[in-house]
Amino acid sequence: MKIDDAAAYLEALGNPTRLKIYRTLVRAGHAGMPVGRLQERLKIPASTLSHHVKALVAAGLISQVREGTTLVCHAEYDTMRSLVGFLVAECCADEAECKEARPAA
């Protein structure tokens, strides 16, 4: 992962409302969650939710699929795993005793 991509993901998640939305979708699993249920669960206005969902979609952290008349949001788990992997890939790399450190790709 490129550092600019990681920075964009982290910037999108740097807003408390977007982080709540993202965590809720991660917890929802692969089935995702309809926008209406997401709004009810988080108790935020539809316009606010729409604004933040749009930012998360633009960043590539979530996707949306229309199922009939329902818009369902899904966490992009591969993106999440790549970001987490990027963040921990060089853990303790400069520590002499650390043998598990790997350079980031």
Side-chain angles (χ1 to χ4, degrees):
M1 173 175 292
K2 296 178 182 173
I3 197 153
D4 290 341
D5 294 335
Y9 297 141
L10 293 170
E11 180 180 1
L13 294 171
N15 176 283
T17 301
R18 285 195 290 270
L19 186 56
K20 287 177 190 175
I21 293 166
Y22 187 70
R23 290 186 72 205
T24 301
L25 292 173
V26 167
R27 289 178 55 97
H30 293 285
M33 184 176 289
V35 172
R37 190 174 322 143
L38 188 58
Q39 181 188 3
E40 290 171 9
R41 177 145 322 155
L42 297 176
K43 297 176 178 31
I44 58 178
S47 60
T48 301
L49 178 63
S50 177
H51 166 76
H52 289 298
V53 164
K54 183 178 176 182
L56 291 168
V57 168
L61 290 163
I62 68 173
S63 61
Q64 293 181 303
V65 176
R66 183 156 302 279
E67 295 178 4
T69 59
T70 304
L71 192 58
V72 181
C73 296
H74 300 270
E76 290 293 329
Y77 292 103
D78 289 342
T79 302
M80 178 184 68
R81 287 183 193 102
S82 293
L83 177 59
V84 171
F86 175 81
L87 293 172
V88 300
E90 294 187 27
C91 179
C92 307
D94 292 335
E95 187 175 312
E97 295 84 30
C98 186
K99 296 181 188 262
E100 294 184 32
R102 296 178 279 126

